[in-house]
């Protein structure tokens, strides 16, 4: 496991991933198991909820179908855990190691900064991917327990979209960390952006002034077309991929020539 | 005579951090096979200079070549050939020493477990413990092994002996001298003269980012005053001694003469013997006090370069006006007591003790020290 930066990063993050996976799996299974209760309880009384809140909690009809329930209660909730894990993970990979001095020891070895940057990025993406797969498997397991089912392909697609949204925020944190070398700033800015994005996208349907800012929120490109009902939209995925690419390239361009203080 | 190119060439290197100064116009040449000391108080610019050598920082102006490679543009080639120890070594706290060294060895592509074990035994380093459980001294040992394990041509060591006990320091000195015997070159930074004077052929003094002086160790010894006390019945000896360049008499009454002398001891002794004495005592050279003058004077008006002093044959032939790598002769036996130590770790360049204070400190420490 200590033969490359990629495998060493996976090795050193194994315990963190394990605990996050256990928490993610437990939450996911519990939420899926609660579907029959929500199905019975969330009926016509949902019509009494104000329009502005319905954009956040969903329509009554959504709670009657497993796809609608999974979109609202699993993916829209679990995406929180995904991006929080992603931001914590990616701020630690470069900026965190620079802050505690271990990056300097690594960069004293005869390896290029590009290699360091890309292998750590790849390891982070892999770890976030494993966490997303854990959530996918937990969802399947929960559905099997309550004897429900949905399209495996669409569930896989939704999991991919969730991983991609998590990667957008994670790579934003990675880029800020690579540019500034400061873990706190990287985590704080990416976290604030994620929180504001979530609020803006949730309210954009009812607050007209948020219509244009919503285009800057990665969440707009996540579940705006109901992934489990209609599948992924190529345009949405392209925007999220483009954001990942831009953040990765900007971070790399600055990091490879930046001063690294001891 | 064919002169080999310097292993390290710093050519008018300046590093600015915004408006703050890192280093200013530093020029140093380090010859192959030498041990070169880079001395100065904390914040003087030692770590900045070393960081530029291995490509962690880029110079704002000037150029650095290490083993013939541009340190900024070809830093990977430099790091392949260099063993580097950071001043404040930080490694992954969850890995054991073995794991950390194996990781670096595999990244380098030449991991020799047997040689690592040999180094660990010599430095008495337990590599089976996790880094987070190691003391500062033991962390330093792991860092030293990481720097030495691929038997590099050049060692660049930032404060290598801090945290090491005297026995391990002695073993470290042996390792450096063995490296030198194999033709290797070593660049050592320190703020403690006594820790490196046993090793170094030549030393550069840096203060507030500026090079104050470059000295060969024997030059430093010649510059350093030797204190004497003479009992004599010859009343003319005092007058004769005062005529010698470099003699300063601080007490001259009746039969006792007390003072200091810097320069060739043979000239001094010749006069003394010619007049006859009842008793004489001459103290060791106190290199620390001379060392301190480079700090306290701030380098203003005291720039004296190895090979560029008034008597140097190199003076006219050198292209640079600072940091000359003069021919390094046989290293003289140190005249400073081991254990005499002036530590500047808590002294920044704006708060430097006076030479008088330094001398006092050094003498106090020397009292009771064991001579080698």
């Amino acid at each position: 496991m200590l033969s490359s930066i990629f495998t060493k990063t996976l090795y050193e993050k194994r315990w963190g991933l394990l605990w996050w996976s256990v928490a993610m799996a437990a939450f996911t299974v519990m939420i899926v198991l609660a579907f029959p209760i929500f199905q019975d309880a969330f009926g016509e009384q949902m019509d009494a909820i104000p329009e502005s809140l319905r954009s956040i909690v969903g329509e009554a009809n959504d709670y009657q179908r497993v796809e609608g329930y999974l979109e609202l209660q699993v993916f829209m909730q679990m995406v929180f855990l995904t991006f929080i894990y992603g931001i914590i993970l990616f701020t630690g990979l470069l900026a965190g190691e620079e802050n505690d001095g271990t990056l300097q020891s690594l960069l004293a070895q005869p390896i290029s900064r590009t290699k360091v940057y890309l292998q750590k990025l790849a390891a982070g993406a892999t770890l976030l991917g494993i966490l997303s797969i854990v959530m996918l498997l937990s969802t399947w397991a929960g559905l099997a327990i309550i004897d429900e089912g949905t399209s495996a392909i669409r569930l896989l697609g939704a999991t991919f979209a969730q991983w991609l949204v998590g990667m957008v925020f994670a790579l934003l944190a990675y880029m800020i960390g690579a540019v500034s070398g400061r873990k706190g700033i990287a985590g704080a800015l990416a976290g604030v952006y994620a929180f504001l994005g979530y609020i803006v996208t949730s309210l954009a349907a009812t607050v007209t002034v948020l219509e244009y800012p919503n285009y800057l929120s990665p969440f707009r490109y996540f579940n705006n077309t109901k992934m489990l009902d209609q599948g992924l939209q190529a345009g949405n995925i392209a925007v999220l991929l483009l954001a990942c690419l831009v953040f990765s390239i900007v971070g790399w361009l600055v990091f490879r020539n930046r001063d690294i203080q001891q | 005579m064919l002169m080999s190119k310097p292993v390290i060439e710093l050519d008018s290197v300046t590093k600015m951090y915004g408006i703050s100064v890192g280093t200013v116009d530093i020029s140093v040449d380090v010859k192959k096979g030498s041990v070169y000391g880079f001395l100065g108080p904390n914040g003087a610019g030692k770590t900045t200079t070393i960081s530029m050598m291995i490509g962690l920082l880029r110079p704002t102006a000037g150029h650095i070549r290490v083993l013939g490679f541009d340190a900024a543009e070809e830093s990977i080639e430099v790091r392949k050939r260099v063993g580097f120890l950071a001043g404040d070594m930080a490694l992954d706290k969850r890995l054991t020493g073995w794991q950390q060294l194996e990781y670096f060895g595999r990244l380098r592509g030449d991991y020799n477990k047997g040689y690592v074990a040999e180094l660990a035994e010599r430095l008495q380093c337990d590599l089976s413990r996790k880094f987070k459980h190691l003391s500062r001294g033991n962390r330093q040992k792991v860092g030293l092994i990481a720097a030495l394990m691929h038997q590099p041509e050049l060692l660049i060591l930032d404060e290598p002996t801090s945290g090491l006990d005297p026995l391990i320091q002695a073993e470290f000195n042996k390792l450096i001298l063995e490296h030198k015997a194999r033709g290797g070159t070593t660049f050592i930074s320190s703020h403690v003269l006594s820790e490196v004077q046993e090793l170094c052929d030549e030393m550069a003094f840096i203060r507030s980012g500026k090079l104050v002086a470059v000295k060969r160790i024997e030059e430093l010894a010649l510059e350093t005053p030797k204190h004497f006390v003479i009992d004599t019945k010859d009343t003319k000896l005092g007058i004769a001694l005062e005529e010698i360049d470099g003699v300063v008499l601080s007490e001259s009454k009746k039969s006792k003469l007390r003072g200091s002398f810097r320069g060739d001891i043979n000239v001094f002794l010749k006069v003394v013997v010619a007049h006859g004495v009842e008793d004489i005592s001459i103290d060791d050279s106190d290199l620390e006090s001379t060392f301190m003058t480079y700090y306290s004077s701030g380098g203003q008006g005291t720039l004296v370069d190895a090979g560029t002093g008034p008597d140097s044959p190199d003076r006219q032939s050198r292209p640079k006006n600072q940091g000359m790598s003069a021919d390094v002769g046989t290293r003289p036996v140190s005249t400073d007591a081991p254990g005499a130590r002036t530590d500047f770790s808590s002294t920044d360049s704006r708060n430097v003790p006076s030479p008088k204070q330094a001398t006092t400190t050094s003498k106090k420490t020397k009292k009771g020290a064991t001579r080698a």
Side-chain angles (χ1 to χ4, degrees), chain B residues 200-234:
Chain B
C200 292
D201 302 303
E202 193 172 3
M203 297 179 186
F205 298 85
I206 183 172
R207 183 179 186 273
S208 300
K210 293 176 186 167
L211 201 66
V212 178
V214 177
K215 293 281 172 189
R216 284 171 288 183
I217 194 79
E218 61 268 34
E219 283 183 304
L220 201 62
L222 275 180
E223 270 184 31
T224 302
K226 297 169 184 66
H227 301 279
F228 62 82
V229 180
I230 298 173
D231 287 324
T232 180
K233 288 178 178 168
D234 187 338

Side-chain angles (χ1 to χ4, degrees), chain A residues 59-73:
Chain A
E59 303 284 346
N61 186 40
D62 292 330
Y63 290 91
Q64 304 305 310
R65 300 174 302 107
V66 74
E67 288 80 10
Y69 178 77
L70 290 179
E71 284 167 354
L72 284 168
Q73 293 300 317

Side-chain angles (χ1 to χ4, degrees), chain B residues 108-372:
Chain B
R108 284 189 168 276
D110 58 356
Y111 179 58
N112 182 344
K113 192 173 180 179
Y115 187 56
V116 169
E118 183 188 325
L119 289 171
E121 191 179 335
R122 289 185 65 176
L123 292 171
Q124 296 172 31
C125 181
D126 181 2
L127 293 177
S128 61
R129 298 179 70 189
K130 287 187 176 176
F131 200 68
K132 64 181 173 185
H133 295 136
L134 295 179
S135 64
R136 173 162 167 67
N138 281 311
R139 290 179 182 195
Q140 192 78 345
K141 291 177 193 174
V142 177
L144 276 171
I145 295 170
L148 292 162
M149 67 180 182
H150 54 288
Q151 297 182 287
E153 294 172 60
L154 169 64
L155 288 168
I156 297 178
L157 310 173
D158 193 2
E159 313 270 0
T161 51
S162 61
L164 298 184
D165 63 56
L167 283 176
I168 302 300
Q169 274 194 35
E171 193 59 40
F172 165 78
N173 287 0
K174 276 189 199 170
L175 285 165
I176 297 302
L177 293 176
E178 287 169 19
H179 175 72
K180 182 183 176 183
R182 290 193 297 266
T185 310
T186 306
F187 186 94
I188 301 179
S189 87
S190 182
H191 52 251
V192 183
L193 175 67
S194 60
E195 283 183 0
V196 294
Q197 73 181 66
E198 298 288 323
L199 292 170
C200 292
D201 302 303
E202 193 172 3
M203 297 179 186
F205 298 85
I206 183 172
R207 183 179 186 273
S208 300
K210 293 176 186 167
L211 201 66
V212 178
V214 177
K215 293 281 172 189
R216 284 171 288 183
I217 194 79
E218 61 268 34
E219 283 183 304
L220 201 62
L222 275 180
E223 270 184 31
T224 302
K226 297 169 184 66
H227 301 279
F228 62 82
V229 180
I230 298 173
D231 287 324
T232 180
K233 288 178 178 168
D234 187 338
T235 52
K236 293 178 182 170
L237 177 57
I239 298 164
L241 286 176
E242 279 189 316
E243 286 173 0
I244 303 174
D245 260 0
V247 169
V248 177
L249 283 180
S250 58
E251 185 184 327
S252 178
K253 51 186 180 184
K254 294 183 179 174
S255 60
K256 189 171 286 281
L257 299 171
R258 193 187 297 268
S260 65
F261 168 68
R262 71 179 81 203
D264 187 350
I265 190 72
N266 293 305
V267 176
F268 175 81
L269 288 177
K270 200 173 172 183
V271 173
V272 170
V273 169
H275 287 78
V277 296
E278 298 292 305
D279 193 14
I280 181 169
S281 69
I282 302 175
D283 282 357
D284 291 334
S285 295
D286 183 2
L287 295 186
E288 294 279 352
S289 64
T290 305
F291 175 57
M292 289 298 291
T293 62
Y294 292 116
Y295 288 169
S296 57
S297 61
Q300 289 163 11
T302 61
L303 186 74
V304 185
D305 300 322
T308 56
D311 302 327
S312 168
D314 282 352
R315 186 175 171 81
Q316 302 302 319
S317 60
R318 300 304 302 227
K320 295 172 187 173
N321 64 352
Q322 287 184 338
M324 302 302 159
S325 75
D327 293 334
V328 176
T330 308
R331 186 167 52 82
V333 175
S334 168
T335 49
D336 197 13
R341 174 188 170 103
T342 303
D343 191 334
F344 300 98
S345 58
S346 60
T347 309
D348 76 13
S349 53
R350 289 157 300 194
N351 184 23
V352 176
S354 68
K356 189 175 176 183
Q357 286 171 313
T359 308
T360 306
T361 308
S362 182
K363 281 182 175 172
K364 276 181 183 170
T365 317
K366 283 167 78 172
K367 193 175 180 181
T370 311
R371 280 197 66 86

Side-chain angles (χ1 to χ4, degrees), chain A residues 2-5 8 11-12 100-102 105-113 257-262, chain B residues 15 17 47 51 55-58 76 79-80 84 86-87 90-92 94-95 99 103-104 106-108:
Chain A
L2 298 170
S3 56
S4 70
I5 298 164
K8 191 257 185 181
Y11 178 75
E12 73 183 8
D100 64 28
T102 53
S105 299
L106 178 61
L107 292 176
Q109 308 307 314
I111 43 175
S112 71
R113 290 195 190 183
N257 289 317
R258 182 169 69 78
D259 282 349
I260 306 286
Q261 299 269 11
Q262 279 199 68
Chain B
K15 179 64 186 175
Y17 300 106
T47 299
S51 296
L56 287 177
L57 302 178
R58 286 170 172 263
I76 296 177
R79 294 195 298 266
K80 272 182 193 169
F84 170 69
L91 296 173
D92 192 325
R94 289 154 297 193
L95 295 186
Q99 287 174 317
Y103 175 48
F104 284 164
R106 287 181 188 275
L107 290 180
R108 284 189 168 276

